[in-house]
Amino acid sequence: FSLRKLWAFTGPGFLMSIAYLDPGNIESDLQSGAVAGFKLLWVLLLATVIGLLLQRLAARLGVVTGLHLAEVCNRQYQKLPRIILWLMVELAIIGSDMQEVIGSAIAINLLSMGKIPLWGGVLITIADTFVFLFLDKYGLRKLEAFFGLLITIMALTFGYEYITVKPNQEKLLQGLFVPYCRDCGTPQLEQAVGIVGAVIMPHNMYLHSALVKSRQVNRADKREVREANKYFFIESCIALFVSFIINIFVVTVFAEAFFNKTNADVNQVCANSSSPHSSLFPNNNETLEVDIYKGGVVLGCYFGPAALYIWAIGILAAGQSSTMTGTYSGQFVMEGFLNLRWSRFARVLLTRSIAVTPTLFVAIFQDVEHLTGMNDFLNVLMSLQLPFALIPVLTFTSLPSVMHDFANGL
């Protein structure tokens, strides 16, 4: 084992792990904390472990064959299933793009103290994509370093909230390792399904199988292929462990501070702290419902304005980092399935306009509530899209004709 080699292979796994930290994920984290307390942490753990196994298979496919998942699908499937698969993956990418736009717009609105309206935030997120494309010209390693920085910002901001709130460590460990949910009903079950949909992203498998091709591996030498598989797996473990810890920060902060709270409780605290947002919470005894926007406001009421702004910076970093992974996966999927070689610029322009249009309409004509409601719907959509990445990954990595000596065992 050599650290220098691990460093050479480090990058693709961290780019891939960003999909485990997008605004849709953060939203499902904080809701599962507020709705079920610490009880669903084991679902998050299991989803991350299963995600890791699937990412490992996707990376192995890319390393062993020298082709990414979409290219293998193109060679192995007939025309009709190929087109259906392509449309489903595009749908998943657009859904994830919409979550990223919503998250960034809400973060910009919170940071500007409501001065920049939501539709303004949506328009700003269109511009920022092109900034990333500009960064892309400086080479992949620089881009990977930039994403490393964004992940660090998320770890620091959500870590700050965790230290401020001081969740109960005993309950945390119990929630992680006891797969049981006492007194749980439909809302908790919905959150559990949402967690799985938010964590395991279908298009992420296409992305990871393509990113590993950025490292030179001599495929004629089995020892070298085996070594590349090993280092990519170690790197994916580290990257997903980091993303898992950040997700835990968010779940436990909301589980500790806001589980079983009513709207009246929060309304009172916000009124006492003279928050301009106390009208968000009606003065009744219904259980508190939070989302990315309300989550920031509630943190601000309970733990001071700093908690609100630090939360918004974390959400902004989450939104910005997931922009580029969607852009990349879209490009690889389009090239692989359709043999279309568009420039990144044209490709981003197309998916961005498809993603931004409905989001912009909701932002102009509705309020934050409907925007975050869209987020829940999109998480469920991701769950439904999963088989369209799962089945090809499992099929191809198990075929000796594709993987030769590296095919899956039973």
Side-chain angles (χ1 to χ4, degrees):
F1 177 78
S2 131
L3 273 174
R4 177 173 291 168
K5 273 194 176 156
L6 179 62
W7 180 245
F9 283 105
T10 296
F14 278 91
L15 276 182
M16 164 278 293
S17 75
I18 279 165
Y20 290 70
L21 293 167
D22 68 334
N25 251 32
I26 305 293
E27 173 109 35
S28 95
D29 287 344
L30 66 91
Q31 286 183 343
S32 81
V35 170
F38 295 88
K39 296 177 205 164
L40 290 179
L41 281 172
W42 59 275
V43 179
L44 178 64
L45 175 62
L46 281 179
T48 308
V49 170
I50 294 168
L52 174 64
L53 293 175
L54 295 172
Q55 298 301 159
R56 172 181 164 82
L57 291 180
R60 276 172 63 129
L61 182 74
V63 172
V64 174
T65 59
L67 302 167
H68 57 71
L69 184 54
E71 290 171 327
V72 181
C73 289
N74 191 9
R75 294 181 181 205
Q76 298 280 342
Y77 287 136
Q78 303 285 325
K79 189 172 185 182
L80 185 66
R82 218 167 50 213
I83 289 173
I84 292 173
L85 262 184
W86 172 67
L87 288 173
M88 288 304 168
V89 181
E90 285 292 350
L91 198 60
I93 290 170
I94 290 165
S96 135
D97 220 16
M98 282 170 73
Q99 286 185 320
E100 180 276 301
V101 172
I102 292 170
S104 298
I106 287 175
I108 290 168
N109 180 277
L110 283 172
L111 283 170
S112 66
M113 296 175 70
K115 288 197 173 57
I116 297 178
L118 287 170
W119 57 267
V122 172
L123 292 175
I124 292 172
T125 59
I126 302 176
D128 64 23
T129 318
F130 298 107
V131 176
F132 285 128
L133 287 180
F134 175 71
L135 269 174
D136 191 38
K137 286 196 169 66
Y138 290 101
L140 196 62
R141 281 305 258 185
K142 297 249 185 356
L143 197 65
E144 287 168 355
F146 178 65
F147 282 123
L149 173 71
L150 287 175
I151 292 176
T152 311
I153 291 174
M154 278 187 264
L156 292 173
T157 50
F158 297 134
Y160 168 85
E161 308 287 358
Y162 180 82
I163 292 164
T164 312
V165 176
K166 301 188 190 64
N168 181 326
Q169 299 302 302
E170 192 186 324
K171 283 186 183 170
L172 191 163
L173 291 170
Q174 201 178 341
L176 266 184
F177 300 112
V178 180
Y180 184 65
C181 191
R182 176 172 300 192
D183 307 327
C184 288
T186 311
Q188 287 78 7
L189 181 67
E190 270 176 18
Q191 290 309 322
V193 175
I195 289 173
V196 177
V199 168
I200 307 172
M201 292 274 193
H203 57 279
N204 217 24
M205 289 169 231
Y206 289 87
L207 175 71
H208 200 188
S209 64
L211 288 173
V212 293
K213 289 168 59 182
S214 62
R215 305 301 191 263
Q216 290 300 316
V217 177
N218 174 15
R219 290 185 178 79
D221 182 350
K222 278 186 194 163
R223 194 187 58 81
E224 209 173 305
V225 171
R226 197 167 278 115
E227 191 176 64
N229 280 333
K230 177 177 82 174
Y231 284 114
F232 277 131
F233 181 55
I234 293 170
E235 185 230 3
S236 301
C237 286
I238 297 168
L240 286 191
F241 179 71
V242 172
S243 72
F244 175 62
I245 294 294
I246 294 174
N247 281 322
I248 281 207
F249 284 163
V250 180
V251 177
T252 52
V253 161
F254 282 84
E256 181 65 44
F258 309 116
F259 178 50
N260 273 343
K261 285 269 193 305
T262 64
N263 283 328
D265 296 339
V266 179
N267 180 296
Q268 203 173 354
V269 175
C270 285
N272 291 345
S273 65
S274 59
S275 158
H277 301 287
S278 51
S279 57
L280 270 178
F281 308 98
N283 200 354
N284 61 29
N285 286 328
E286 283 176 23
T287 311
L288 173 70
E289 283 182 11
V290 280
D291 45 50
I292 292 185
Y293 184 75
K294 279 185 181 172
V297 170
V298 169
L299 283 171
C301 291
Y302 275 78
F303 304 104
L308 166 66
Y309 292 120
I310 289 170
W311 168 257
I313 291 167
I315 297 293
L316 191 62
Q320 295 314 302
S321 53
S322 48
T323 309
M324 206 58 199
T325 51
T327 304
Y328 270 120
S329 15
Q331 185 195 359
F332 295 134
V333 162
M334 201 173 210
E335 284 175 6
F337 278 118
L338 307 180
N339 283 328
L340 272 187
R341 298 226 171 265
W342 281 22
S343 72
R344 288 224 172 106
F345 190 81
R347 154 98 232 130
V348 172
L349 208 57
L350 176 70
T351 53
R352 237 326 123 95
S353 357
I354 297 172
V356 157
T357 315
T359 319
L360 196 58
F361 274 110
V362 176
I364 293 172
F365 298 111
Q366 301 279 5
D367 50 6
V368 174
E369 302 287 304
H370 291 82
L371 264 191
T372 43
M374 259 169 93
N375 244 344
D376 292 346
F377 164 73
L378 292 167
N379 276 343
V380 176
L381 175 76
M382 292 295 170
S383 297
L384 296 177
Q385 298 299 332
L386 264 181
F388 300 102
L390 266 181
I391 295 170
V393 161
L394 291 171
T395 307
F396 298 139
T397 52
S398 303
L399 283 180
S401 58
V402 175
M403 299 290 282
H404 310 297
D405 294 357
F406 293 92
N408 297 336
L410 259 183

